[in-house]
Amino acid sequence: MNLYLNIKVNFFAVPFVVLMLSCAVYAQEKIDRKALVERHTIKIEKADPLSSLTIGNGEFAMTVDVTGLQSFPDFYQDGVPLGTQSEWGWDSFKDTAGYRLEESFKDYEQHGRKVSYAVQKSETARGKEAADWFRQNAHRLQLGNFGLEFYDKSGKILPISAIKNIKQELNMYTGIIHSVYEVEGEKVEVTTLAQPNQDGVMATVKSALIKKGQLKIRLRYPYPTAQWADVGNYFGEDSQHQTQIVKQLGSSAQIKHQLQGTQYATSLNWSGKAQISEKQKHYFLISPDKNQDQFQISITFSQNDKIPSSSFKEIAKANQKTWETYWESGGAVDFSGSTDSRAFELERRVILSQYLMRVQEAGYFPPQETGLTYNSWFGKPHLEMHWWHGVHYALWGRASLLQKSTDWYFKVMDGAKNIAKRQGFEGVRWQKMTDNEGNEVPSSIGAMLVWQQPHPITYTELLYRDNPNKAVLEKYKKIVFATADFMASFAHLNPKTNKYDLGPGLIPAQERFKAEETFNPTYELCYWKWALETAQQWRLRLGMPREAKWDDVIQKIAPLPVLGDVYLAAESAPDSYTNPEFKTDHPSVFGAFGMLPQTGLVDTTIMKNTFNLIWKDWSWAETWGWDFPLTAMTAARLGMPEKAVDALLMNIKTNTYLVNGHNYQDDRLRIYMPGNGGLLTAVAMMCAGWDGTNEKNPGFPKDGTWNVRWEGLIKMP
């Protein structure tokens, strides 16, 4: 499947809006945001498993097929599946074996003492079973499959091949999906939108098939697979969960779904007359009366059985206001004045990424890699990836959306403190793979990562820059200081060099190195110094003295490892660029001068040499979606804007952006939200620059081919 070569061709059929104005006027003109967004309206004309569309409110999302609802989940299961997920929807199977997290612990020798980590150890069968249990539980739920059923004249259910003459559009400015097609020779028109203030959607269905009794609405409750991925179409295990209609009043009904570890309610409201019935276990049909050819219905999922009802008019009005507010506030970037042949595609990716992040990842918890569409890693978030999911919000003038998930760190501080205490460190050691409650999850790689540790200092610093007052400092100082305390105690003073080392006993962001052997990775050294210095700045802003221990680490942090004229991935890896395995995964050395500003550790000449070597010799086919924005950010800081653009649009499979805007990786990860978030972060930085830059659009070439207008963006540190 050649996913990444043909996208540009399809979209260049749409011409640019050519603005015949002088440069001075052009630079001053306010961006027409509605026109900007709507020129990238998504248009679907055939059923394709990779081109499903999502609506949502940032805390809940539903993905639909060409019918406008979730009518054919099996057809989409290996593409972008038809998921229905929320932040709160989690379940756990019953633990009949009495597993304890401690059974997954493994001791590692770390500077003369043993430190315990929760890993997927294989020394004993019981230990492996315990690790697997805590990885699988809790697992994120697929709440329900809400679709249409079409019948031929004999009453037989029709397959997706019966859907003809498809014309489907997602207008991202309005958040509305409009689907038109034919079934059995009759036109069907469906309008679908998300409820902004509740976890559900509303749909309007128009068709003569309703009068003929050949169109009904279906609601099925899948059973959680508790597997690495859950795409929401497993309808087995009927006896392991219960559903029942608990309330039915005229044009509404409420259904209770009881699982082993949780329960939730579903509220249905419709216009006109209809009957709801249970076709079989966990399978309900809403059958509109045959005296109508139009039917409106809303579905709402909730942890509580008391679900406020909103009229269809109220939902539509709230949806319109929500999306207008989103697009008309914060940042906007317009590439239409550019003549580079890639500009329209880059603009498309930026607009679609803004939409996807808003519908799937604008909630109160760090999101999982696949947002609210389908499970990856059992639905659990990875805190080292929260940077790529959330930093862009602050840079695009939407810091309030970053604040929502940053505040979650208060909730899980006690657990993070217990991890640090168990391991003999001060402060808090932030979890890597976790859940809404902040539980530690065993992982042979994740438990050894450390680059998630400084992230909360990044988030809180961005929030302070957005709103620089003492109240912000007072609110987040507990997180900042406890984070820095761990970082200072984790660094080890090497008696031979009188320098502070990081490791052994860690795995860098480039997950290709053994924890027992690895020390002083380049990116993490820089991040340690930057975060500790930033934490000191917080103390000074609050009128507090500098923390002596932090200063000692700042002043004596180990120098960046150099071999010849390039930076190594880690001091322990002199074969960083000769071992083929070490030229795969993330080129995380770029983070030292891309994600981060100048820390005083980086020699830009050496970093440029390193960049050129990696650019030429890296195994780019074995990378991830956020590696391309990472590379672009480093290129921009190094004054290489041509390479920055080339990186964002590199023709590599993991840098594919599907017709629906999703960053495709492979058959396992058909969507990858850190790629979308990373793209937005890089573009904001390439436009607005970073601390110390005064140049306009420093990340774009100055050869006249890139005329980029923007507004509402914030400089990166």
Side-chain angles (χ1 to χ4, degrees):
M1 191 185 321
N2 195 353
L3 297 171
Y4 52 96
L5 295 177
N6 295 322
I7 293 292
K8 181 168 65 177
V9 175
N10 293 338
F11 279 85
F12 275 123
V14 183
F16 276 125
V17 177
V18 180
L19 301 177
M20 304 301 293
L21 301 171
S22 70
C23 293
V25 175
Y26 185 89
Q28 296 171 8
E29 183 185 6
K30 181 174 172 55
I31 293 172
D32 183 340
R33 298 189 177 208
K34 186 173 187 289
L36 170 65
V37 176
E38 289 189 336
R39 67 172 167 255
H40 298 285
T41 292
I42 302 170
K43 299 181 180 182
I44 306 296
E45 295 187 349
K46 66 177 182 178
D48 180 342
L50 289 170
S51 61
S52 53
L53 303 174
T54 303
I55 49 176
N57 59 27
E59 302 161 31
F60 164 89
M62 178 179 286
T63 301
V64 304
D65 60 26
V66 291
T67 69
L69 289 173
Q70 301 172 313
S71 307
F72 300 101
D74 292 347
F75 179 81
Y76 287 80
Q77 65 179 357
D78 297 322
V80 180
L82 309 184
T84 306
Q85 295 195 322
S86 70
E87 290 195 309
W88 53 261
W90 293 77
D91 178 53
S92 288
F93 293 155
K94 291 181 180 178
D95 177 8
T96 58
Y99 294 119
R100 295 175 297 110
L101 184 64
E102 292 80 1
E103 294 178 275
S104 72
F105 288 176
K106 179 180 179 180
D107 288 338
Y108 288 78
E109 188 75 19
Q110 202 164 338
H111 303 300
R113 65 186 185 87
K114 294 186 182 299
V115 179
S116 67
Y117 291 86
V119 300
Q120 299 158 268
K121 66 182 185 179
S122 57
E123 284 84 347
T124 67
R126 174 77 181 186
K128 185 178 185 307
E129 290 170 2
D132 288 345
W133 163 259
F134 287 105
R135 286 174 67 80
Q136 294 172 354
N137 298 278
H139 42 263
R140 197 183 298 263
L141 280 173
Q142 293 283 5
L143 299 175
N145 178 264
F146 185 58
L148 300 172
E149 280 192 358
F150 304 96
Y151 308 87
D152 64 16
K153 294 177 181 179
S154 68
K156 181 181 178 181
I157 296 178
L158 294 168
I160 194 169
S161 58
I163 312 301
K164 308 290 187 182
N165 299 322
I166 298 164
K167 301 291 182 184
Q168 183 178 53
E169 292 188 357
L170 167 55
N171 184 327
M172 291 170 286
Y173 190 83
T174 64
I176 294 175
I177 298 173
H178 185 235
S179 311
V180 180
Y181 46 92
E182 292 180 4
V183 178
E184 294 281 278
E186 296 288 355
K187 179 181 176 181
V188 182
E189 184 176 359
V190 181
T191 303
T192 323
L193 55 88
Q195 298 190 51
N197 304 316
Q198 297 187 78
D199 294 341
V201 303
M202 181 182 88
T204 302
V205 185
K206 299 179 182 179
S207 179
L209 291 176
I210 298 175
K211 285 186 174 183
K212 295 181 177 183
Q214 292 179 250
L215 187 158
K216 298 181 181 181
I217 292 85
R218 180 196 67 228
L219 173 60
R220 297 190 72 179
Y221 290 89
Y223 190 67
T225 64
Q227 298 301 307
W228 185 90
D230 185 350
V231 301
N233 70 332
Y234 178 60
F235 300 106
E237 312 290 342
D238 281 355
S239 63
Q240 297 300 311
H241 58 137
Q242 295 79 44
T243 52
Q244 65 180 66
I245 300 173
V246 294
K247 189 184 298 182
Q248 185 173 359
L249 293 171
S251 58
S252 68
Q254 186 166 306
I255 300 172
K256 176 182 175 182
H257 189 199
Q258 177 73 55
L259 296 111
Q260 295 187 36
T262 192
Q263 68 176 39
Y264 59 94
T266 308
S267 176
L268 295 158
N269 292 276
W270 56 81
S271 62
K273 294 183 177 180
Q275 300 297 319
I276 183 169
S277 60
E278 187 172 10
K279 182 176 180 178
Q280 61 189 58
K281 279 192 172 184
H282 321 299
Y283 187 155
F284 299 87
L285 283 178
I286 298 96
S287 304
D289 279 7
K290 296 180 182 180
N291 62 352
Q292 55 194 320
D293 59 8
Q294 178 173 321
F295 189 71
Q296 278 189 301
I297 186 167
S298 66
I299 183 170
T300 310
F301 299 93
S302 175
Q303 290 177 288
N304 305 310
D305 57 7
K306 294 182 180 179
I307 306 174
S309 62
S310 300
S311 69
F312 299 124
K313 186 176 181 180
E314 289 171 334
I315 294 171
K317 185 176 180 180
N319 175 76
Q320 179 182 5
K321 181 179 179 181
T322 295
W323 281 109
E324 284 185 358
T325 300
Y326 178 70
W327 289 115
E328 295 296 335
S329 62
V333 181
D334 185 336
F335 292 91
S336 64
S338 304
T339 58
D340 188 294
S341 62
R342 301 167 295 174
F344 188 83
E345 171 60 13
L346 182 56
E347 185 181 89
R348 182 187 78 89
R349 295 183 182 194
V350 168
I351 295 298
L352 271 63
S353 292
Q354 287 183 82
Y355 175 81
L356 288 171
M357 301 305 283
R358 179 62 181 84
V359 299
Q360 300 221 38
E361 300 199 348
Y364 292 92
F365 300 88
Q368 66 167 322
E369 304 329 59
T370 42
L372 294 172
T373 295
Y374 77 101
N375 285 359
S376 52
W377 289 276
F378 314 97
K380 292 181 166 69
H382 298 165
L383 294 195
E384 87 281 16
M385 300 309 298
H386 191 194
W387 197 101
W388 296 101
H389 291 288
V391 164
H392 65 92
Y393 282 128
L395 303 183
W396 283 77
R398 297 170 178 134
S400 61
L401 296 179
L402 173 62
Q403 179 184 333
K404 291 168 69 176
S405 56
T406 298
D407 287 357
W408 172 85
Y409 287 85
F410 287 115
K411 178 179 180 180
V412 301
M413 277 194 77
D414 287 346
K417 184 176 182 179
N418 289 338
I419 296 172
K421 184 177 181 180
R422 184 189 84 223
Q423 295 179 340
F425 299 114
E426 298 175 12
V428 294
R429 180 167 193 165
W430 298 112
Q431 305 83 336
K432 190 276 188 193
M433 182 175 171
T434 185
D435 57 24
N436 279 9
E437 305 306 316
N439 292 311
E440 188 178 4
V441 177
S443 170
S444 295
I445 292 177
M448 316 302 296
L449 293 181
V450 295
W451 66 292
Q452 75 273 21
Q453 187 63 26
H455 284 350
I457 296 180
T458 298
Y459 312 146
T460 52
E461 178 68 9
L462 288 171
L463 294 177
Y464 175 75
R465 289 162 66 99
D466 177 70
N467 185 18
N469 63 50
K470 190 174 181 180
V472 175
L473 298 172
E474 291 287 352
K475 176 178 179 178
Y476 292 109
K477 67 181 181 181
K478 180 180 178 182
I479 287 176
V480 172
F481 296 163
T483 298
D485 283 340
F486 170 83
M487 295 175 67
S489 67
F490 183 82
H492 174 71
L493 185 62
N494 187 327
K496 295 181 180 179
T497 63
N498 197 34
K499 296 290 185 180
Y500 281 96
D501 291 337
L502 300 182
L506 61 78
I507 294 177
Q510 185 187 355
E511 299 174 5
R512 289 294 185 263
F513 302 93
K514 294 181 179 179
E516 300 92 328
E517 303 171 358
T518 303
F519 61 94
N520 289 342
T522 293
Y523 164 55
E524 282 79 358
L525 286 171
C526 287
Y527 209 178
W528 241 244
K529 183 177 181 181
W530 178 86
L532 286 171
E533 181 57 50
T534 302
Q536 293 283 36
Q537 292 303 313
W538 275 58
R539 292 182 64 88
L540 296 177
R541 292 166 183 164
L542 285 163
M544 303 170 66
R546 294 178 71 95
E547 173 60 49
K549 172 63 174 175
W550 301 354
D551 266 345
D552 199 42
V553 176
I554 291 169
Q555 294 161 10
K556 298 178 182 176
I557 194 78
L560 302 187
V562 178
L563 183 63
D565 61 355
V566 297
Y567 287 120
L568 297 171
E571 185 178 344
S572 52
D575 55 346
S576 292
Y577 306 111
T578 56
N579 184 334
E581 182 183 3
F582 296 164
K583 294 191 292 184
T584 63
D585 199 64
H586 315 298
S588 59
V589 66
F590 287 164
F593 196 63
M595 297 170 72
L596 297 172
Q598 177 59 270
T599 57
L601 296 177
V602 172
D603 180 305
T604 55
T605 298
I606 297 175
M607 182 58 79
K608 185 171 286 190
N609 295 337
T610 309
F611 183 95
N612 290 333
L613 175 64
I614 290 175
W615 183 270
K616 178 181 177 182
D617 290 341
W618 204 255
S619 298
W620 289 105
E622 298 181 70
T623 52
W624 297 70
W626 58 268
D627 294 330
F628 305 97
L630 169 66
T631 303
M633 292 158 66
T634 302
R637 287 194 194 264
L638 288 170
M640 305 167 70
E642 293 82 5
K643 283 289 192 290
V645 173
D646 289 347
L648 287 185
L649 293 159
M650 195 181 295
N651 192 14
I652 299 293
K653 184 170 73 170
T654 51
N655 198 34
T656 300
Y657 283 75
L658 301 171
V659 66
N660 52 24
H662 277 299
N663 179 207
Y664 180 94
Q665 302 296 286
D666 53 31
D667 289 344
R668 184 179 70 147
L669 280 170
R670 286 90 69 190
I671 69 175
Y672 188 61
M673 304 299 290
N676 297 96
L679 171 73
L680 295 176
T681 300
V683 168
M685 178 180 172
M686 290 163 67
C687 290
W690 49 93
D691 289 352
T693 57
N694 296 311
E695 179 185 359
K696 180 182 178 182
N697 297 329
F700 289 95
K702 302 303 183 290
D703 59 3
T705 62
W706 289 92
N707 191 348
V708 183
R709 293 192 302 141
W710 57 268
E711 56 194 33
L713 301 178
I714 308 299
K715 279 188 176 183
M716 194 168 181

